[in-house]
């Protein structure tokens, strides 16, 4: 029930200046398809309802004043907001909220805390989603309300509680809105408040841990066939568009999760390819943070897996984002030599022969070839061989069939307590027939 489109992202402002940013943003946002027929209840059940559908509904706001959930002034404020919502002027809505930001934040907090009805929660979340799409800087107002009230006006906490709801629309909107609010790092408080800073950091970590825990149960073979997966990955994409969000995701043990999602599918269906693409967008976003890029480089098997994707996936958008991520990792720790060991040069030379609709792909491929050729010159034949064995994927590169290589390097297998020898023996259990054949050959040569 979901389609994907590319949208602009705030992640550009956090990128490392030495790393080229692709001209087109590669953050995919899940956008519900609009159906003109069918009941509203049916749309909610199937996850096809839109913000517009929700905001057209009439909600008995006065009932919440009578129950003491909101005050008379807050009711009047809500009526003003509803009137502007009906005019469909997002700019006017944003202007009203900016003019009385703390009051609106308190109103939203009161409704999300005191009202459990789906239609009310959906209305508030749809309104916030539309506002943040049109004007992302409104996120600062909710941070300001928290700091200026000494923590009393906290919209984040009731939203975190909504993550346990089973309603798909509420889950989708809560995930995206909360990710945008928590990952926003452009607000500078008037005075430092260590307690509130720590509280916000805890909320960010809680959100990241929730997303990672939910995605750990995903079977990559199912791809994007599960709406809940689409919604949570959409939130993760938004989360890693900021430096604090990237760090929170990595600290929540997100890197092994990404590797698992990349490794489990065979990319034979559109759904599996789409899942891989979105996962690669997250990896690409993480690669812009020096700290996260370093952790990506140290994540066991991740760089070889990126190279494997270049070799096996033909879809241009997947190749584009994978090349962009690899480009950001060039020169990070041992990433360059890891790429060479995994056989990236052969894959890149093949990609250079293809024609691309997006010029960014060709530019990234050419950059990688030039940069890695420089690294290759500084590596001995043993260095290249050891990196290849460490990657767990072997090919019939020249070293394997060179008598000179074996005569010159057989003693090197004893280095580091036989580390490369142990890794070569490990390749004998590979399900890949080429890797298995090369490993048997090398054991024979040794």
């Amino acid at each position: 029930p979901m389609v994907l489109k590319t949208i602009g992202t705030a992640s550009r402002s956090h990128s490392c200046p030495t790393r080229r940013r692709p001209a087109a943003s590669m953050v995919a946002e899940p956008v519900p398809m609009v159906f003109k027929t069918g009941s509203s209840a049916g749309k909610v059940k199937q996850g096809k309802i839109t913000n517009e559908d929700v905001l057209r509904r009439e909600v008995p706001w006065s009932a919440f004043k009578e129950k003491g959930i909101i005050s008379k002034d807050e009711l009047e404020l809500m009526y003003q907001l509803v009137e502007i919502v009906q005019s469909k002027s997002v700019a006017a809505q944003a202007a009203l909220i900016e003019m009385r930001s703390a009051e609106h934040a308190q109103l939203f907090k009161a409704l999300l805390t005191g009202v459990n009805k789906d239609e009310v929660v959906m209305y508030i979340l749809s309104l916030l989603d539309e506002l943040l799409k049109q004007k992302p800087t409104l996120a600062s107002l909710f941070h300001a309300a928290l700091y200026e009230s000494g923590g009393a006006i906290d919209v984040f906490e009731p939203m975190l509680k909504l993550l346990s709801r089973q309603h798909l629309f509420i889950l989708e909107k809560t995930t995206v809105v909360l990710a945008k609010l928590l990952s926003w790092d452009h607000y500078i408080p008037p005075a430092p408040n260590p307690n509130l800073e720590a509280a916000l950091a805890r909320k960010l970590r809680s959100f990241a841990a929730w997303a990672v825990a939910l995605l750990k149960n995903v079977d990559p073979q199912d791809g994007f066939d599960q709406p809940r997966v689409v919604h949570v990955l959409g939130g993760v994409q938004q989360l890693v568009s900021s430096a604090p969000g990237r760090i929170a995701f990595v600290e929540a043990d997100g890197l092994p999760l990404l590797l698992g999602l990349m490794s489990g599918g065979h990319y034979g269906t559109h759904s599996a390819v789409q899942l891989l693409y979105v996962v690669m967008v997250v990896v690409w976003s993480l690669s812009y943070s020096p700290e996260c890029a370093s952790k990506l480089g140290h994540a066991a098997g991740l760089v070889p897996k990126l190279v494997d994707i270049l070799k096996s996936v033909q879809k241009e958008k997947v190749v584009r984002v994978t090349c962009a991520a690899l480009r950001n990792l060039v020169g990070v720790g041992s990433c360059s030599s890891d790429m060479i060991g995994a056989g990236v040069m052969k894959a890149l030379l093949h990609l250079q022969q293809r024609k691309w609709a997006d010029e960014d792909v060709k530019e990234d491929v050419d950059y990688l070839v030039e940069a890695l050729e420089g690294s290759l010159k500084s590596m001995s034949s043993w260095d290249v061989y050891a990196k290849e064995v460490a990657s767990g994927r072997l090919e019939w590169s020249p070293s394997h069939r060179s008598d000179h290589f074996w005569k010159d390097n057989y003693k090197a297998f004893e280095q580091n307590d036989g580390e490369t020898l142990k890794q070569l023996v490990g390749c004998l259990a590979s399900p890949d027939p080429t890797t298995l054949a090369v490993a048997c050959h090398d054991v024979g040569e040794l």
Side-chain angles (χ1 to χ4, degrees):
M2 311 297 293
V3 293
L4 289 161
K5 69 177 183 178
T6 55
I7 60 168
T9 173
S11 65
R12 294 174 179 268
S13 62
H14 301 284
S15 60
C16 176
T18 61
R19 298 172 181 160
R20 189 192 62 78
R21 296 178 300 240
S25 170
M26 291 181 282
V27 174
E29 177 183 331
V31 181
M33 294 192 294
V34 179
F35 289 77
K36 295 182 178 180
T37 59
S39 68
S40 178
K43 289 181 181 180
V44 174
K45 185 175 181 180
Q46 298 175 45
K48 300 172 185 176
I49 195 167
T50 66
N51 288 340
E52 186 178 359
D53 292 328
V54 173
L55 295 175
R56 276 201 299 262
R57 295 177 177 176
E58 292 187 4
V59 179
W61 302 109
S62 60
F64 307 125
K65 177 203 171 278
E66 294 169 3
K67 293 179 180 179
I69 295 171
I70 58 176
S71 66
K72 179 181 178 182
D73 290 340
E74 288 171 339
L75 177 61
E76 292 176 358
L77 193 63
M78 193 69 222
Y79 280 147
Q80 290 179 32
L81 193 53
V82 169
E83 185 177 351
I84 297 176
V85 167
Q86 291 172 348
S87 72
K88 297 185 179 179
S89 173
V90 178
Q93 297 167 34
L96 177 62
I97 289 179
E98 284 180 311
M99 186 170 58
R100 303 173 66 180
S101 59
E103 294 169 84
H104 279 95
Q106 174 58 36
L107 171 62
F108 296 148
K109 176 201 169 185
L111 290 170
L112 291 175
T113 303
V115 182
N116 197 42
K117 291 185 177 180
D118 286 347
E119 60 266 28
V120 176
V121 174
M122 291 166 65
Y123 192 100
I124 300 300
L125 292 174
S126 296
L127 178 59
L128 290 174
D129 187 31
E130 288 297 316
L131 288 168
L132 291 169
K133 280 181 186 176
Q134 298 297 323
K135 196 166 186 178
T137 55
L138 287 175
S140 284
L141 302 181
F142 295 94
H143 287 261
L146 180 71
Y147 275 89
E148 291 170 11
S149 68
I153 304 179
D154 183 352
V155 180
F156 309 99
E157 193 61 33
M159 286 192 189
L160 282 169
K161 293 178 180 178
L162 292 176
L163 294 174
S164 62
R165 300 278 280 267
Q166 297 301 308
H167 195 293
L168 278 178
F169 184 88
I170 291 177
L171 176 67
E172 175 194 358
K173 295 305 173 184
T174 302
T175 303
V176 173
V177 170
L178 195 51
K180 289 179 179 180
L181 293 179
L182 286 174
S183 64
W184 184 258
D185 62 346
H186 296 294
Y187 173 72
I188 301 175
N193 189 322
N195 291 334
L196 289 179
E197 290 172 11
L200 272 175
R202 283 196 300 273
K203 296 178 197 299
L204 184 61
R205 289 195 299 270
S206 295
F207 178 79
W210 167 82
V212 169
L214 193 147
L215 292 173
K216 280 182 177 178
N217 297 319
V218 173
D219 183 351
Q221 298 283 1
D222 294 336
F224 253 38
D225 293 335
Q226 305 172 64
R228 190 177 296 270
V229 175
V230 178
H231 304 332
V232 177
L233 274 174
V236 170
Q237 286 178 245
Q238 183 62 49
L239 183 69
V240 298
S241 68
S242 74
R246 292 170 191 146
I247 293 172
F249 180 77
V250 170
E251 289 180 347
D253 208 23
L255 296 187
L257 165 72
L258 295 178
L259 185 58
L261 291 175
M262 286 190 283
S263 302
H266 296 292
Y267 323 128
T269 65
H270 171 75
S271 179
V273 171
Q274 190 59 50
L275 174 64
L276 177 63
Y277 169 64
V278 175
V279 171
M280 288 308 307
V281 170
V282 174
V283 173
W284 169 73
S285 296
L286 290 171
S287 71
Y288 277 108
S289 165
E291 181 180 346
C292 293
S294 177
K295 291 185 180 297
L296 284 170
H298 285 90
L302 193 140
V303 170
K305 186 58 191 177
L306 296 182
V307 175
D308 187 48
I309 289 170
L310 275 192
K311 295 176 182 178
S312 58
V313 180
Q314 299 297 311
K315 195 72 173 178
E316 179 167 327
K317 65 181 183 180
V318 176
V319 174
R320 176 185 51 164
V321 73
T322 304
C323 285
L326 287 172
R327 177 171 182 162
N328 284 350
L329 293 174
V330 168
V332 176
S334 63
C335 287
S336 296
S337 57
D338 290 342
M339 294 178 207
I340 293 170
V344 75
M345 297 305 294
K346 183 178 178 181
L348 291 172
L349 293 175
H350 172 71
L351 293 176
Q352 280 187 316
Q353 307 307 312
R354 283 181 59 180
K355 294 188 180 298
W356 304 100
D358 188 341
E359 293 182 0
D360 285 343
V361 183
K362 183 180 185 306
E363 184 181 338
D364 280 340
V365 170
D366 290 344
Y367 174 88
L368 285 167
V369 169
E370 182 179 353
L372 294 175
E373 280 180 344
S375 298
L376 185 58
K377 290 177 182 178
S378 66
M379 295 174 67
S380 67
S381 59
W382 170 256
D383 293 333
V384 176
Y385 177 84
K387 284 293 183 182
E388 182 183 5
V389 174
S391 76
R393 292 294 296 268
L394 305 181
E395 296 179 345
W396 289 111
S397 53
S399 295
H400 300 283
R401 288 173 167 162
S402 167
D403 288 340
H404 290 295
F405 172 80
W406 291 102
K407 289 176 182 178
D408 293 342
N409 294 290
Y410 72 93
K411 293 289 287 184
F413 281 90
E414 299 176 5
Q415 297 172 2
N416 300 320
D417 194 29
E419 180 181 19
T420 301
L421 178 58
K422 293 172 183 175
Q423 292 168 340
L424 178 60
V425 172
C427 290
L428 293 173
S430 173
D432 177 61
T434 301
T435 297
L436 185 58
V438 177
C440 289
H441 169 273
D442 287 4
V443 171
E445 288 295 314
L446 192 59

